Amino acid sequence: MGASSRTWAFLLLGLLLTSFPGALGTNPGLVVRITDKGLEYVAREGLVTLQSELQEITLPDFTGDFKIKHVGRGHYEFHSLDIHSCELRGSALTPLPGQGLSLSISDSFIRLQGKWKVRKSFLKLQGSFDMEVKGITILVNLVLGSEPSGRPTVTTSSCSSDIRDVEVDISGGLGWLLSLFHNKIESNFQKILEIKICQMVQKSVTSDLQPYLQTLPVTTEIGSFAGVDYSLMEAPQATAQMLDVMLKAEIFNHDHRSPVDFLAPVMSLPEEHNRMVYFAISDYVFNTASLVYHEAGYLNFNITDDMVPPTSKIRLTTKSFRAFAPRLARQYPNMNLELQGAMVSAPFLNFSPGNLSLAPQMEIKAFVLLPSSIREPVFRLSVACNVSATLTFNISKITGFLKPEEVQMELKESKVGVFNVEMLEALLNYYLINSLYPKVNEKLANGFPLPLLKHIQLSDPVLQIHKDFLFLGANIQYMRV
């Protein structure tokens, strides 16, 4: 695959952001919207690639016999035609509703050089010529689809090219030879070049672009045991001014992928066109991540006395509990305690206009560590906590940060009598702020990767929070290598 073909592929596919296996009939977790501005950018950058592709076209020799008054009969050759420059001036990449995209190029020209040879009896003449092909227009329709695997497909449904005029400058000033070209060769030359242009485009799509699509990975890693499924749920949907690409965007566990028992919400995307591309990311994406980490036990924790700061007034010992839980101290004198915490269910991120929050529910079980190393359960607590979330959007991913408020604790079960849990609240707050949430924030800092291909960078990012989804806008830039 040539560098110029890869450039075209990166630009088109980097915007389409198509990847990988999905299920039909459900809402997407992620919608990528490419606006008219984004399509205009692809068309402009695509011209550079097509210009280099056009210069690789090889043209045949034109030979034949002639009979010209005052000249007589003879044999001619126009050979060694070489395209030495071309300029594609006007382009547009527009959506075809219900189909895909239409690429149109107009008001373009190609300059060629070649050699001519004439033989008449024993007389031989030869020289060179320059040719300028003007008013070239190209129209290509691309159909975008998807395979059952979720990978995208692209085919050329039609291609046409047209040449308005051909100018030739033949060395030697032989007017009869110029007339010979216009009468015998020009029409055939135009047809051949028009065919060659469309063959070049179709070959690029079939031999370069489509195989390149097939190399896209089906998942993106987001951690040691989790990945994100960017399945293309259906063919990209073209409307009058934009192209929407629906991706599953589900986080899953590598080792045991299990079905998700909730659906992604319907997202009502705002009509924004100030950026080239927009990402609508539903809460489904983040909540499937929470589900995976919850099921893996990542959010569970243990607290033992050696984890309590030396300056703390309360220790995780039965002696320390004597003042507010005397029965515990009497039944288990001078023994250590262990607290085991777990989320009751995966904490879901709530999206409301301008705000992100969580309300995780935890359960904490307390055990006495007996001399025999057996853990004896002694009481059970329920814990509620409100957490505010902050998300940041950079050029390739979304990162997050959680800021918890103080917990609210309630004694749910006790084998050592009823007691006040306020001192335990202080201990738990310390642990959450200094241990658990920093651990979670470290993971969130790694970020959720956006489905971008190599050499595509985002700039001028904007972020809006809507009900049930984030709406991220950006401009794109292809970084040539």
Side-chain angles (χ1 to χ4, degrees), residues 230-480:
Y230 280 131
S231 302
L232 189 67
M233 299 184 69
E234 57 182 285
Q237 298 297 306
T239 60
Q241 291 183 306
M242 63 193 71
L243 188 72
D244 283 347
V245 183
M246 280 66 70
L247 307 177
K248 190 168 187 178
E250 179 182 305
I251 312 297
F252 64 95
N253 190 308
H254 290 310
D255 298 328
H256 51 87
R257 185 169 184 174
S258 55
V260 179
D261 59 2
F262 56 91
L263 298 176
V266 176
M267 295 183 285
S268 298
L269 275 59
E271 293 293 329
E272 296 279 352
H273 297 273
N274 292 327
R275 295 294 191 272
M276 295 178 183
V277 63
Y278 288 92
F279 303 84
I281 307 173
S282 80
D283 56 12
Y284 176 84
V285 180
F286 301 96
N287 292 337
T288 55
S290 180
L291 188 66
V292 166
Y293 283 94
H294 171 70
E295 291 177 347
Y298 186 82
L299 303 178
N300 298 343
F301 58 90
N302 286 8
I303 308 176
T304 55
D305 186 62
D306 59 350
M307 299 168 65
V308 179
T311 56
S312 174
K313 295 181 180 180
I314 184 171
R315 312 297 310 175
L316 279 180
T317 63
T318 55
K319 180 180 179 180
S320 182
F321 277 63
R322 179 181 301 164
F324 58 92
R327 184 176 163 184
L328 176 64
R330 288 196 303 270
Q331 286 185 224
Y332 306 97
N334 299 318
M335 296 184 189
N336 286 342
L337 294 167
E338 180 178 327
L339 303 180
Q340 294 182 0
M343 298 292 171
V344 175
S345 60
F348 280 4
L349 189 61
N350 300 310
F351 289 63
S352 58
N355 184 58
L356 298 170
S357 63
L358 299 93
Q361 299 287 323
M362 290 179 278
E363 182 178 83
I364 294 179
K365 296 178 180 179
F367 298 85
V368 172
L369 304 180
L370 300 177
S372 61
S373 299
I374 295 176
R375 289 176 170 81
E376 180 75 20
V378 286
F379 59 84
R380 181 169 59 88
L381 306 166
S382 69
V383 180
C385 181
N386 291 321
V387 180
S388 61
T390 302
L391 295 179
T392 303
F393 172 33
N394 64 20
I395 62 173
S396 63
K397 62 184 178 180
I398 302 169
T399 58
F401 183 83
L402 300 182
K403 183 179 180 181
E405 299 176 5
E406 290 192 352
V407 300
Q408 296 178 339
M409 188 178 291
E410 181 182 355
L411 183 65
K412 302 297 290 186
E413 180 184 359
S414 176
K415 296 181 179 180
V416 291
V418 178
F419 60 90
N420 193 316
V421 297
E422 287 185 0
M423 293 186 70
L424 276 177
E425 282 184 355
L427 180 63
L428 183 60
N429 274 319
Y430 176 87
Y431 173 79
L432 293 178
I433 292 172
N434 292 279
S435 297
L436 180 62
Y437 281 101
K439 173 186 173 184
V440 175
N441 284 331
E442 182 180 1
K443 183 66 65 175
L444 293 175
N446 292 332
F448 168 75
L450 295 171
L452 296 173
L453 294 180
K454 291 181 179 179
H455 308 301
I456 293 292
Q457 285 193 0
L458 302 178
S459 61
D460 308 316
V462 293
L463 186 152
Q464 302 172 12
I465 303 173
H466 294 265
K467 177 175 170 51
D468 298 329
F469 69 95
L470 296 178
F471 196 58
L472 315 177
N475 291 321
I476 64 162
Q477 184 177 9
Y478 176 73
M479 308 303 294
R480 296 187 178 275

Side-chain angles (χ1 to χ4, degrees), residues 195-210:
I195 292 171
K196 288 279 187 179
I197 288 172
C198 277
Q199 287 177 342
M200 177 271 296
V201 173
Q202 291 169 334
K203 180 179 181 295
S204 181
V205 171
T206 303
S207 302
D208 295 328
L209 188 54
Q210 177 60 21

Side-chain angles (χ1 to χ4, degrees), residues 153-270:
T153 62
V154 58
T155 57
T156 303
S157 63
S158 65
C159 177
S160 63
S161 63
D162 183 69
I163 295 170
R164 187 185 70 240
D165 187 29
V166 176
E167 292 184 359
V168 180
D169 181 19
I170 295 178
S171 64
L174 300 177
W176 62 269
L177 188 57
L178 181 61
S179 297
L180 174 67
F181 177 87
H182 287 304
N183 294 333
K184 291 272 191 177
I185 299 174
E186 181 176 335
S187 177
N188 192 29
F189 169 79
Q190 285 189 213
K191 290 179 182 178
I192 291 175
L193 184 56
E194 290 167 357
I195 292 171
K196 288 279 187 179
I197 288 172
C198 277
Q199 287 177 342
M200 177 271 296
V201 173
Q202 291 169 334
K203 180 179 181 295
S204 181
V205 171
T206 303
S207 302
D208 295 328
L209 188 54
Q210 177 60 21
Y212 177 77
L213 280 169
Q214 298 302 301
T215 67
L216 291 173
V218 296
T219 59
T220 298
E221 304 298 318
I222 58 170
S224 58
F225 62 86
V228 55
D229 173 1
Y230 280 131
S231 302
L232 189 67
M233 299 184 69
E234 57 182 285
Q237 298 297 306
T239 60
Q241 291 183 306
M242 63 193 71
L243 188 72
D244 283 347
V245 183
M246 280 66 70
L247 307 177
K248 190 168 187 178
E250 179 182 305
I251 312 297
F252 64 95
N253 190 308
H254 290 310
D255 298 328
H256 51 87
R257 185 169 184 174
S258 55
V260 179
D261 59 2
F262 56 91
L263 298 176
V266 176
M267 295 183 285
S268 298
L269 275 59

